[in-house]
C-alpha cells in the first residue's frame, strides 16, 4: 500500500459526526493533516453498492477525486441474525430522513419482535469497511466486525447510531454505556483500523505486513 507519512493531507470522507469523532480519535497518533468531507463541502455520493466494501469504495473514490487528496471512507452498519443481517447496509436509511436512530432502533425492535421473547435469537454484529483511496483511483479496503447481542430497551447515551442497543460478547456495558476509549479499542471500526495501520498507514515506507484487506 502506498505510504501516507505524518503530515500528509487526508480527507475523512464522512458526513456522520459520530463516525468523524471516532475516526479522528483512531487517526490521532499518526499526525496526519486531516480534513473532513463536510469541511471541504464535498457532496455525498449515492451509496448504491450491495455491500459495505463497495459503498466504502464509492465514498473514498468520490472524495479523493473531488479533493485531489487521499481519502478515507467508512461504510458500516448494524446487523441482527433474526433479521437475516438487516438493517446491514441500510442501517443509516432505517433512521429515516431525520436521521433519528431512536426511530431506527424501534424499527429493529419491531421487526425482530420474536427475538425478544425468551429463547429468541438476539445475536447481532457491527461491521465496518474502511477504504483508503488516492486521486488516481488506487484503493485499499479493510473489514472489521464485532459480535454481540441486541438488547432492549437501549442503554446509555455514549457513541452514536445503534450503540445503545448493542452488547458486545462478554461485556456488561452496551456501546452506549461504555467509555469511548473502550469502544475505540475493541469495535468493528477499531478492528478495521488495526489492519489499515498494519499495512503502513502513517509510516514512511508503507511496508505491507498484513494479509487481510484488499487492494485494487
Ligand atoms: P457517511 O456515509 O457520510 O459516512 P452514514 O451515517 O450515512 O455516513 P453509513 O452509510 O456507513 O454512514 O451508515 C452506517 C450507519 O450504521 C450509521 O449511520 C450508524 O447509524 C450505524 N453505525 C455504523 N457504525 C456504528 C457504530 O460504531 N455505532 C453505532 N452505529 C453505527
Amino acid at each position: 500500500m502506498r505510504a501516507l507519512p505524518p503530515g500528509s493531507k487526508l480527507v475523512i470522507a464522512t458526513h456522520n459526526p459520530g463516525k468523524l469523532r471516532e475516526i479522528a480519535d483512531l487517526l490521532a497518533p499518526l499526525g496526519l493533516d486531516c480534513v473532513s468531507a463536510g469541511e471541504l463541502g464535498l457532496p455525498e455520493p449515492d451509496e448504491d453498492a450491495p455491500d459495505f466494501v463497495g459503498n466504502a469504495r464509492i465514498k473514498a473514490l468520490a472524495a479523493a477525486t473531488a479533493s485531489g487528496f487521499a481519502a478515507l471512507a467508512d461504510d458500516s452498519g448494524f446487523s441482527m441474525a433474526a433479521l437475516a443481517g438487516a438493517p446491514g447496509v441500510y442501517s443509516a436509511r432505517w433512521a429515516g430522513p431525520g436521521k433519528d436512530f431512536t426511530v431506527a432502533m424501534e424499527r429493529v425492535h419491531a421487526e425482530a419482535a420474536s427475538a425478544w421473547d425468551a429463547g429468541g435469537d438476539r445475536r447481532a454484529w457491527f461491521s465496518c469497511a474502511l477504504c483508503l483511496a488516492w486521486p488516481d483511483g488506487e484503493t485499499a479496503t479493510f473489514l472489521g466486525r464485532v459480535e454481540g447481542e441486541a438488547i432492549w430497551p437501549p442503554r446509555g447515551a455514549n457513541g452514536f447510531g445503534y450503540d445503545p442497543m448493542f452488547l458486545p460478547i462478554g461485556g456488561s456495558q452496551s456501546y452506549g454505556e461504555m467509555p469511548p476509549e473502550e469502544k475505540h479499542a475493541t469495535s468493528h471500526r477499531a478492528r478495521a483500523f488495526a489492519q489499515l495501520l498494519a499495512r503502513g498507514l502513517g509510516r514512511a515506507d508503507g511496508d505491507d505486513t498484513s494479509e487481510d484487506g484488499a487492494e485494487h
Side-chain angles (χ1 to χ4, degrees):
M1 194 175 81
R2 211 179 299 177
L4 206 55
S8 305
K9 189 101 161 172
L10 178 67
V11 180
I12 306 179
T14 180
H15 289 82
N16 178 320
K19 273 190 198 176
L20 183 60
R21 223 173 24 242
E22 291 196 3
I23 294 171
D25 276 0
L26 287 161
L27 286 173
L30 302 184
L32 297 169
D33 177 11
C34 294
V35 59
S36 74
E39 286 172 79
L40 292 177
L42 301 181
E44 293 190 58
D46 282 343
E47 298 175 32
D48 53 9
D51 52 33
F52 296 113
V53 167
N55 282 331
R57 290 189 78 226
I58 289 171
K59 291 188 273 192
L61 280 169
T65 310
S67 67
F69 299 111
L72 180 67
D74 163 315
D75 200 70
S76 43
F78 176 75
S79 294
M80 261 197 87
L83 298 177
V89 288
Y90 300 104
S91 293
R93 280 163 264 190
W94 278 32
K99 301 193 176 176
D100 182 342
F101 284 94
T102 303
V103 168
M105 289 189 283
E106 279 167 357
R107 180 167 168 196
V108 171
H109 179 237
E111 296 208 9
S114 60
W116 308 104
D117 301 337
D121 188 351
R122 293 192 183 199
R123 284 174 302 140
W125 60 94
F126 272 118
S127 308
C128 172
L130 290 175
C131 179
L132 184 59
W134 281 265
D136 65 4
E138 183 181 329
T139 62
T141 54
F142 304 90
L143 267 172
R145 177 168 155 150
V146 66
E147 311 278 342
E149 80 175 56
I151 54 169
W152 199 262
R155 296 187 341 219
N158 290 341
F160 67 99
Y162 297 82
D163 279 341
M165 69 178 300
F166 182 73
L167 190 67
I169 280 181
S172 58
Q173 290 186 308
S174 76
Y175 270 6
E177 296 171 310
M178 201 177 263
E181 55 277 13
E182 205 174 315
K183 179 184 173 193
H184 298 179
T186 56
S187 74
H188 48 309
R189 189 159 291 107
R191 288 177 178 183
F193 255 91
Q195 295 177 41
L196 179 62
L197 300 186
R199 290 294 289 274
L201 183 74
R203 281 211 308 259
D205 59 5
D207 186 23
D208 289 349
T209 53
S210 162
E211 300 202 338
D212 296 319
E215 292 185 47
H216 305 274

